[in-house]
Amino acid sequence: IACFLCKERHIVAYHMCRAVQLSLQNGACQYTPLALIHFVGYAMKNEKSASICRIAKNAMSMLKRFDVADQYPSFYLSYYSRVAWRFEPLQECVDKSRRAFEAALSLGFVDTAFYCAIHVILKSIFSGKSLRSILKEIDYYLHLLKTYKSEVSKTYMLIFRETVSSLIDNGQTTSIEATPRVGDLNDPCNKLRESALFHKAMQSFWIGHTQRCRYYNEKCAPILAPLAQFTTYLSKFYHGLNTLDLVTKKICVKGKEVVRAAIKAMTDAAASSDWNFTNKLRLLEAEQQSIRQTHRKAIPLYEDSIERAKRSGFIHEQGLACEKAAFYFKKVASNNEKALEYFKQARECYEEWGSLVKVDFIQKEMDRL
């Protein structure tokens, strides 16, 4: 209980460690699995990821030993939001988080249910799910929030909705009057700052505002860096990719550290989850080789990124890799025929994803060819 009442991260971490210590001293009880999974959520670091994942899986096995149905929603919330993305397919994390939402709501744990809903939507956006279906699900959760008179995740849902609306048509026909009230994004005490800045960076990246994307990524990087969570790795990936784009356009010439950090983060993450991260790593490597104009290395990396994204069901990142490959053949390899082939693939992916913004952008590039 103390962990949920405390606001300071280090105080929560103390209570988690103390709970685990008591279990080690006195033996496992019905609360041990929940204590372990909370501990794992706070202890997750790059160099410890393999050990942490083993502890998480053991906690999941231990949960089955005890008749603790009322703990399942809280356990699944921590497991699939903080840990499972490290080694399980992202789509499975979405599905299990949705089940946890339904279970929590049926048990009357409204706050826990809507915290689960936050992670359902956050991971759905990056899992390749249709943007229109995500928008529909967000509106469903907003309706439930109103029905249950709960404000616990409303602002987060509105932030997500703004992102999805931007990705579909830049909000032209999908926006609503309600907007997220995120407060002062320069205030270090603002708990919404991390999510708001991260989503501003994502919106800017996909719309093609490279300098704005760099601005928001640089603002949220120091906040996300110590957390080692899902959005930390996504932020590094998109920051690295955006920086490579700026280098290509000769807008930014000092981006080596950002790119190096992004590649290292994706290498670390891909070691435990090939499904979720290897396609991202290959795309970063391909763009890096493209700048160096090492054709022999760049082309296989683009193809591998496309194939892995397709295999993992990340239709948006499959389209992104096709788009980047098309620009490589257009600008670096001077092969318009090959560029057109990849642009067509990118357009098909973006159409399936439901992003009219990206479809229009790709169509304009094809018309120029």
Side-chain angles (χ1 to χ4, degrees):
I1 294 171
C3 292
F4 290 99
L5 294 177
C6 292
K7 296 181 180 179
E8 295 296 330
R9 183 178 172 81
H10 67 281
I11 300 294
V12 177
Y14 166 77
H15 286 292
M16 291 295 94
C17 292
R18 182 63 180 144
V20 172
Q21 186 182 38
L22 287 170
S23 291
L24 291 172
Q25 290 173 347
N26 304 303
C29 69
Q30 66 203 60
Y31 301 107
T32 300
L34 192 57
L36 281 172
I37 206 64
H38 281 311
F39 166 76
V40 164
Y42 281 93
M44 179 69 78
K45 295 291 179 185
N46 296 341
E47 65 277 8
K48 306 277 187 178
S49 61
S51 300
I52 291 296
C53 290
R54 281 198 297 273
I55 296 172
K57 289 181 178 180
N58 287 335
M60 177 68 85
S61 298
M62 193 182 296
L63 186 69
K64 297 173 184 177
R65 288 174 50 190
F66 301 100
D67 185 18
V68 285
D70 60 331
Q71 288 188 35
Y72 270 88
S74 295
F75 184 92
Y76 272 44
L77 172 60
S78 288
Y79 183 79
Y80 286 103
S81 65
R82 293 180 177 171
V83 185
W85 58 267
R86 279 281 197 170
F87 49 86
E88 295 191 14
L90 200 57
Q91 293 87 344
E92 185 171 341
C93 295
V94 172
D95 291 341
K96 293 295 176 62
S97 295
R98 189 179 290 110
R99 289 187 191 180
F101 164 80
E102 293 166 355
L105 208 59
S106 67
L107 290 167
F109 303 149
V110 176
D111 286 355
T112 300
F114 287 115
Y115 281 127
C116 290
I118 288 173
H119 292 283
V120 169
I121 299 301
L122 174 63
K123 291 179 175 64
S124 290
I125 293 171
F126 298 99
S127 70
K129 186 176 179 180
S130 161
L131 293 172
R132 291 281 181 181
S133 64
I134 297 173
L135 196 69
K136 185 177 180 180
E137 191 166 13
I138 292 171
D139 288 341
Y140 167 69
Y141 288 135
L142 286 171
H143 172 72
L144 285 182
L145 283 163
K146 187 176 181 181
T147 301
Y148 282 89
K149 298 180 180 179
S150 173
E151 296 290 320
V152 68
S153 62
K154 182 179 178 179
T155 303
Y156 286 101
M157 286 296 166
L158 289 173
I159 291 172
F160 299 156
R161 198 188 191 288
E162 190 174 75
T163 296
V164 174
S165 178
S166 296
L167 294 174
I168 293 173
D169 62 0
N170 212 3
Q172 290 182 6
T173 63
T174 54
S175 61
I176 57 175
E177 289 185 11
T179 55
R181 297 179 181 178
V182 296
D184 182 5
L185 295 181
N186 293 313
D187 180 6
C189 297
N190 184 352
K191 291 188 175 182
L192 294 167
R193 187 169 66 140
E194 169 203 326
S195 183
L197 289 172
F198 171 77
H199 280 271
K200 289 289 185 185
M202 295 305 101
Q203 292 168 29
S204 301
F205 176 86
W206 284 102
I207 292 171
H209 297 158
T210 50
Q211 294 194 65
R212 192 182 301 173
C213 179
R214 177 175 63 173
Y215 169 79
Y216 285 119
N217 269 316
E218 288 176 349
K219 293 276 282 184
C220 72
I223 306 169
L224 289 170
L227 304 179
Q229 60 191 21
F230 178 62
T231 48
T232 306
Y233 286 84
L234 280 182
S235 178
K236 287 183 178 182
F237 167 63
Y238 285 109
H239 193 15
L241 211 54
N242 187 68
T243 300
L244 285 163
D245 197 19
L246 289 167
V247 171
T248 302
K249 295 173 180 176
K250 295 182 170 54
I251 298 173
C252 171
V253 293
K254 296 181 180 179
K256 289 183 179 180
E257 286 301 319
V258 172
V259 175
R260 192 178 294 118
I263 290 176
K264 183 182 184 305
M266 292 306 102
T267 302
D268 292 341
S272 55
S273 180
D274 172 71
W275 180 279
N276 291 336
F277 294 101
T278 303
N279 73 295
K280 299 172 179 63
L281 173 61
R282 294 291 178 263
L283 186 53
L284 284 167
E285 291 172 335
E287 287 288 273
Q288 191 178 53
Q289 296 303 326
S290 172
I291 290 172
R292 295 172 181 171
Q293 297 192 10
T294 49
H295 308 310
R296 181 175 56 84
K297 293 181 179 180
I299 296 171
L301 287 168
Y302 280 121
E303 291 175 347
D304 193 31
S305 178
I306 293 167
E307 182 56 36
R308 287 178 180 275
K310 182 179 181 180
R311 195 185 312 156
S312 296
F314 300 148
I315 192 69
H316 59 307
E317 290 175 354
Q318 182 186 344
L320 182 61
C322 290
E323 177 188 334
K324 295 297 184 183
F327 278 116
Y328 166 78
F329 280 106
K330 177 185 175 183
K331 296 179 180 179
V332 181
S334 300
N335 186 337
N336 283 357
E337 185 177 347
K338 201 72 176 174
L340 189 61
E341 179 186 327
Y342 278 106
F343 274 134
K344 285 180 179 178
Q345 290 181 42
R347 184 181 63 185
E348 289 172 5
C349 291
Y350 290 141
E351 283 175 346
E352 185 175 338
W353 189 33
S355 177
L356 300 179
V357 170
K358 293 301 295 182
V359 170
D360 289 345
F361 171 76
I362 295 298
Q363 188 59 55
K364 287 175 183 176
E365 292 296 330
M366 291 173 65
D367 292 343
R368 290 191 185 101
L369 289 175

